[in-house]
């Protein structure tokens, strides 16, 4: 998607991008007497920088100084939207921040977050990771013309702002039990930081402590690490917390029914993040070991598709005894801040992102490890490129089961018709991408590597079993735009 400065917010070919997570969320509270030193806007900036992988369309920060809330947001990456001069104008002791990839609602400035609403007592700013599946039902509670954007987050914000005398907590107690889908929320009024997580806990959300009595809430533990916060615990499914001068207060608005997203371990989360007490990096390496045992092959070298396939490739090499090596070099900047390519340049395809090390792969039998296959275009191009560079054999190994079903809880996958595993067998996929062999990790082995019980995980993209039933009419990122 072209930005106003001519750069792109995700991959150079929008028809063949990787699965996109909905968003990264971040919140920070420090005592008012620490505001000048803590610089919460800059803490939030760094937190969002650590969470940039979760959303690359827009970014925003809201800050409260105790009497008013100021919001700054725009389209683009965190480093494009904010600079020193902007951050210096955002002064206060409470902040929430967001980096977005759209699931419900188009990628427009109006749908960028934080969303803000005036209330009887002041203001409310909110950020959201996930996707609601009863957005239209919730929107029907609002008066016509109230919505100024077309995202599910806008609907939630409008409902929470219509709070009367009870404040955000009272409104949340009423609204959240009626809200279905995935939502990790961080929101604030002028004096308090709040966080809430859906009863299934589909998307991660963690609480951390700063020195000098400060608190941080973030999508991933990597967001805590970058600001020097100590991990305290996860926000529990069905839990809401409030943070102010009295400390952290917790209450439940729904019974916990844990269904954490298994795909977070496969691709979405940073490898240096911990989810449910399990290191993402350790999980991915262990998946690679199990993949080698499930799908062995005689080969000369194991190479990853960088960077997403690297941990599993390390594990595959360890378990198989086949040497690990680098066969593909990635241009780290493509797909992040990249000038709009012409059609002629786009025809070079994958070479804009990856280039083979010919001397390392020529004449060798290769095992190429990647995290997933969505449409198959990227793997097809990689296999062809490796053969052109002289590879004797190309064996593809995937550290997730076939992605056969779309996600309605915060990942923007292709539709089932567009997913290659939605209509082709493994052997047909192997033939389509041109590999000598193709092996996927089994669902049972992936679950076992996560160290989480099967019944506490959402596996819908792999097995089609949706833990929160989704009505056909509630599916689609533009559903509110149709009725406006």
């Amino acid at each position: 998607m072209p930005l106003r400065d001519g750069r792109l917010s995700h991959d150079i070919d929008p028809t063949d991008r990787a699965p996109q997570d909905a968003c990264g969320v971040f919140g920070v509270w420090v005592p008012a007497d620490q505001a000048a030193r803590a610089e919460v806007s800059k803490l939030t900036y760094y937190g969002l920088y650590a969470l940039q992988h979760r959303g690359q369309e827009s970014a925003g920060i809201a800050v409260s100084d105790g009497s008013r809330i100021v919001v700054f947001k725009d389209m683009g990456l965190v480093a494009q939207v904010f600079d020193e001069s902007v951050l210096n104008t955002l002064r206060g002791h409470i902040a929430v921040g967001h980096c977005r990839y759209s699931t419900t609602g188009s990628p427009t400035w109006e749908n960028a977050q934080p969303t803000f609403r005036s209330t009887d007592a002041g203001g409310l700013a909110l950020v959201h990771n996930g996707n609601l599946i009863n957005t239209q039902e919730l929107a029907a509670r609002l008066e016509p013309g109230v919505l100024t954007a077309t995202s599910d987050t806008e609907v939630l914000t409008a409902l929470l702002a219509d709070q009367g005398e009870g404040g955000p907590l009272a409104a949340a107690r009423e609204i959240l039990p009626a809200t279905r889908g995935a939502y990790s929320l961080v929101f604030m009024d002028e004096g308090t930081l709040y966080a809430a997580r859906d009863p299934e806990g589909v998307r991660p959300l963690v609480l951390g402590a700063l020195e000098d009595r400060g608190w941080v809430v973030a999508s991933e533990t990597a967001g805590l690490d970058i600001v020097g916060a100590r991990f305290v615990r996860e926000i529990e499914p069905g839990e809401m917390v409030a943070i102010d001068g009295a400390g952290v207060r917790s209450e439940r608005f729904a019974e916990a029914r844990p269904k954490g997203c298994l795909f977070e371990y496969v691709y979405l989360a940073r490898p240096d993040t911990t989810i449910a007490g399990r290191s993402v990096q350790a999980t991915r390496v262990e998946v690679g070991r199990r993949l080698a045992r499930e799908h062995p092959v005689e080969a000369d070298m194991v190479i990853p598709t960088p960077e997403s396939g690297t941990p599993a490739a390390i594990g595959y090499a360890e378990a198989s005894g086949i040497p690990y090596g680098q066969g593909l070099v990635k241009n780290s900047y493509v797909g992040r801040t990249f000038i709009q390519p012409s059609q002629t340049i786009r025809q070079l395809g994958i070479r804009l992102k990856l280039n083979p090390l010919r001397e390392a792969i020529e004449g060798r039998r290769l095992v190429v490890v990647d995290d997933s296959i969505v449409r198959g275009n990227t793997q097809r191009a990689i296999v062809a490129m490796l053969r052109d560079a002289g590879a004797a054999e190309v064996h593809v190994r995937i550290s997730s089961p076939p992605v056969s079903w779309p996600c309605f809880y915060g990942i923007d996958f292709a539709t089932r018709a567009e997913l290659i595993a939605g209509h082709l067998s493994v052997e047909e996929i192997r033939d389509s991408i041109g590999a000598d062999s193709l092996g996927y990790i089994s669902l049972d082995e992936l679950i076992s590597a996560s160290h989480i019980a099967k019944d506490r995980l959402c596996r819908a993209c792999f097995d089609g079993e949706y833990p929160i039933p989704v009505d056909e009419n509630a599916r689609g990122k533009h559903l509110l735009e149709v009725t406006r």
Side-chain angles (χ1 to χ4, degrees):
M1 185 194 76
L3 301 175
R4 68 191 192 290
D5 57 6
R7 289 175 280 191
L8 298 183
S9 60
H10 42 74
D11 286 342
I12 55 172
D13 184 357
T15 66
D16 186 39
R17 50 178 170 73
Q20 304 290 320
D21 193 21
C23 308
V25 297
F26 189 89
V28 58
W29 179 94
V30 300
D33 59 6
Q34 300 290 334
R37 188 171 68 84
E39 296 185 293
V40 295
S41 65
K42 292 183 180 178
L43 290 178
T44 305
Y45 171 86
Y46 289 123
L48 295 179
Y49 203 86
L51 301 172
Q52 183 74 86
H53 60 288
R54 299 186 72 88
Q56 296 147 36
E57 286 183 353
S58 63
I61 295 173
V63 173
S64 169
D65 63 3
S67 59
R68 65 169 186 157
I69 295 173
V70 176
V71 181
F72 188 93
K73 61 183 181 180
D74 210 341
M75 306 303 294
L77 304 176
V78 175
Q80 293 173 325
V81 171
F82 296 100
D83 57 26
E84 188 85 18
S85 62
V86 171
L87 293 173
N88 284 338
T89 66
L90 300 174
R91 298 187 178 277
H93 72 288
I94 312 174
V96 298
H98 191 264
C99 51
R100 182 177 192 247
Y101 181 81
S102 56
T103 48
T104 296
S106 295
T108 62
W109 184 90
E110 289 78 10
N111 285 331
Q113 298 179 34
T115 49
F116 175 83
R117 284 274 168 165
S118 295
T119 71
D120 292 341
L124 179 78
L126 181 145
V127 295
H128 170 207
N129 175 210
N131 191 58
L132 306 185
I133 61 171
N134 66 331
T135 302
Q136 289 176 312
E137 174 188 321
L138 293 173
R141 297 185 176 207
L142 299 168
E143 294 293 328
V146 167
L147 297 178
T148 59
T150 57
S151 69
D152 51 354
T153 310
E154 169 75 2
V155 173
L156 263 184
T157 307
L159 288 170
L160 291 174
D162 186 17
Q163 55 197 233
E165 297 180 358
L169 274 180
R173 291 184 190 113
E174 177 187 351
I175 298 301
L176 294 185
T179 302
R180 292 190 296 113
Y183 53 92
S184 287
L185 305 176
V186 184
F187 53 106
M188 69 178 189
D189 57 20
E190 282 75 7
T192 306
L193 180 70
Y194 306 91
R197 196 173 175 203
D198 63 83
E200 287 73 22
V202 177
R203 299 281 147 236
L205 193 64
V206 295
L207 175 69
L210 292 166
E211 295 181 358
D212 299 322
R213 299 171 290 133
W215 297 93
V216 174
V217 180
S219 290
E220 298 183 25
T221 59
L224 305 180
D225 296 338
I226 198 171
V227 298
R230 172 179 56 85
F231 171 75
V232 175
R233 64 177 179 85
E234 294 193 351
I235 304 297
E236 295 295 323
E239 180 188 18
M240 178 167 52
V241 300
I243 303 171
D244 57 20
V248 178
R249 306 185 305 280
S250 170
E251 63 179 78
R252 287 206 164 272
F253 63 87
E255 179 183 353
R257 303 184 293 270
K259 295 290 182 181
C261 173
L262 184 56
F263 204 76
E264 291 277 355
Y265 285 105
V266 172
Y267 174 80
L268 297 179
R270 278 175 48 150
D272 54 339
T273 279
T274 297
I275 301 176
R278 176 68 164 157
S279 161
V280 171
Q281 171 76 4
T283 300
R284 291 174 183 170
V285 173
E286 177 60 21
V287 168
R289 296 189 188 107
R290 293 168 184 254
L291 183 59
R293 292 192 287 268
E294 281 198 306
H295 297 285
V297 66
E298 292 187 5
D300 303 308
M301 187 166 66
V302 177
I303 68 170
T305 298
E307 303 290 337
S308 56
T310 300
I314 292 170
Y316 193 102
E318 287 179 0
S320 67
I322 302 170
Y324 174 90
Q326 184 179 15
L328 295 166
V329 176
K330 181 180 180 181
N331 182 343
S332 300
Y333 299 96
V334 172
R336 301 301 185 192
T337 54
F338 193 75
I339 302 301
Q340 176 73 54
S342 66
Q343 180 60 32
T344 301
I345 297 298
R346 188 181 281 115
Q347 287 172 355
L348 294 176
I350 199 69
R351 290 182 184 272
L352 287 165
K353 295 186 286 186
L354 298 172
N355 204 39
L357 287 168
R358 182 178 293 271
E359 65 276 12
I361 63 180
E362 190 169 11
R364 295 194 174 189
R365 298 168 298 173
L366 304 177
V367 178
V368 184
V369 181
D370 204 352
D371 63 275
S372 60
I373 299 179
V374 181
R375 293 173 175 85
N377 297 341
T378 296
Q379 283 73 20
R380 190 176 301 115
I382 288 174
V383 171
M385 182 171 58
L386 292 172
R387 293 198 189 281
D388 289 345
E393 296 175 9
V394 181
H395 302 276
V396 176
R397 296 294 181 266
I398 303 298
S399 61
S400 68
V403 177
S404 303
W405 302 86
C407 175
F408 303 105
Y409 310 135
I411 309 173
D412 192 18
F413 276 129
T415 64
R416 182 160 169 76
E418 294 170 318
L419 291 167
I420 193 170
H423 55 90
L424 296 182
S425 68
V426 172
E427 180 58 23
E428 288 171 330
I429 296 171
R430 182 209 62 77
D431 183 64
S432 174
I433 66 176
D436 291 286
S437 70
L438 171 63
Y440 291 87
I441 190 76
S442 67
L443 181 56
D444 286 344
E445 288 296 319
L446 174 60
I447 291 170
S448 179
S450 76
H451 291 187
I452 302 176
K454 182 177 182 179
D455 63 0
R456 295 173 67 90
L457 289 166
C458 177
R459 321 166 306 272
C461 57
F462 302 127
D463 62 11
E465 296 182 12
Y466 294 95
I468 314 169
V470 186
D471 181 67
E472 285 286 345
N473 295 328
R475 302 178 180 185
K477 67 192 295 181
H478 304 294
L479 59 93
L480 289 180
E481 291 159 11
V482 174
T483 58
R484 290 190 70 191

